[in-house]
């Protein structure tokens, strides 16, 4: 089999278009930045698991380095299993989920809003319960993803995290459009992997 015969390859091949759509959806990041700045945010909690949790570590790094705010990673079971009531005053909760349907994430998201948090939901499904629960929804616009593990939607989360922080700090200088060209260049070399696929 050739690399191009795999469903995952066809989905990875959509990455440049996904990046282009995200870069051109500047309004959603600007809206998120305005709502964040309107609140007295002193800390951030990132709510994610699975592949999205990997992006959560990247987003944590970006916020701590670029904004100097402390960022923690949520433990959804504290709410979904143990029923903890947490004070989320002055807290921004960013929920990352490709499907936007995970019950434990939904429980934590709901509890965070009840506790006073500003909730940003970043999903690949604008009709999902998590997207609708957010004060702000950032649509990853990656389209349906069938292959496992996630590829284009994970890449979209990484770029969306960067674009969110760019908007938050008012970084208008970098449009990030070079990432579209870079991703196309990477894909043009993918045939070199055929030897490993056999």
């Amino acid at each position: 089999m050739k690399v191009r015969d795999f469903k995952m390859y066809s989905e990875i091949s959509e990455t440049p278009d996904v990046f282009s759509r995200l870069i051109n959806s500047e309004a959603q990041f600007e809206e998120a930045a305005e709502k964040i700045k309107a609140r007295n945010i002193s800390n951030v909690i990132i709510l994610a698991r699975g592949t999205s949790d990997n992006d959560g570590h990247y987003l944590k790094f970006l916020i701590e380095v670029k904004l100097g705010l402390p960022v923690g990673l949520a433990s959804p079971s504290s709410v979904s299993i143990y029923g903890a009531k947490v004070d989320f005053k002055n807290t921004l909760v960013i929920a990352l989920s490709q499907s936007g349907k995970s019950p434990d994430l939904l429980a934590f998201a709901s509890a965070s809003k009840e506790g006073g948090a500003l909730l940003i939901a970043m999903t690949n499904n604008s009709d999902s319960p998590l997207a609708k629960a957010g004060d702000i929804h950032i649509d990853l616009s990656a389209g349906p993803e069938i292959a496992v593990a996630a590829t284009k939607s994970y890449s979209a989360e990484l770029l969306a995290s960067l674009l969110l922080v760019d908007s938050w700090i008012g970084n208008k200088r970098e449009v990030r459009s070079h990432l579209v060209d870079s991703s196309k260049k990477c894909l043009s070399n993918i045939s070199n992997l055929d030897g490993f696929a056999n």
Side-chain angles (χ1 to χ4, degrees), residues 78-98:
S78 64
V79 169
S80 63
I81 294 176
Y82 299 103
K85 303 293 182 188
V86 183
D87 181 358
F88 288 98
K89 184 175 60 178
N90 301 330
T91 300
L92 170 64
V93 173
I94 305 175
L96 309 170
S97 172
Q98 285 133 23

Side-chain angles (χ1 to χ4, degrees), residues 86-136:
V86 183
D87 181 358
F88 288 98
K89 184 175 60 178
N90 301 330
T91 300
L92 170 64
V93 173
I94 305 175
L96 309 170
S97 172
Q98 285 133 23
S99 71
K101 296 177 181 178
S102 301
D104 54 344
L105 300 190
L106 289 168
F108 193 95
S110 177
S112 71
K113 286 190 72 175
E114 288 172 11
L118 175 66
L119 176 65
I120 294 179
M122 191 182 293
T123 79
N124 194 36
N125 182 353
S126 59
D127 291 324
S128 66
L130 187 58
K132 292 176 180 177
D135 296 300
I136 305 152

Side-chain angles (χ1 to χ4, degrees), residues 29-47:
F29 298 102
E30 292 296 328
E31 179 188 359
E34 286 173 15
K35 289 193 176 182
I36 294 168
K37 291 174 185 176
R39 298 279 292 267
N40 185 27
I41 299 298
S42 60
N43 63 94
V44 181
I45 299 291
I46 295 175
L47 173 61

Side-chain angles (χ1 to χ4, degrees), residues 3-4 186-197:
V3 168
R4 295 172 191 271
C186 287
L187 286 166
S188 70
N189 294 323
I190 207 161
S191 59
N192 296 336
L193 298 176
D194 282 336
F196 295 102

Side-chain angles (χ1 to χ4, degrees), residues 17-19 21-23 25 28-29 52 55 96-99 121-126 137-143 152-161:
D17 291 334
V18 173
F19 281 2
R21 286 194 294 272
L22 273 175
I23 290 166
S25 68
Q28 67 178 343
F29 298 102
S52 297
D55 173 56
L96 309 170
S97 172
Q98 285 133 23
S99 71
M122 191 182 293
T123 79
N124 194 36
N125 182 353
S126 59
H137 176 243
I138 292 177
D139 192 343
L140 297 174
S141 303
K152 60 179 179 168
S153 58
Y154 174 62
S155 297
E157 281 183 334
L158 293 169
L159 179 55
S161 295

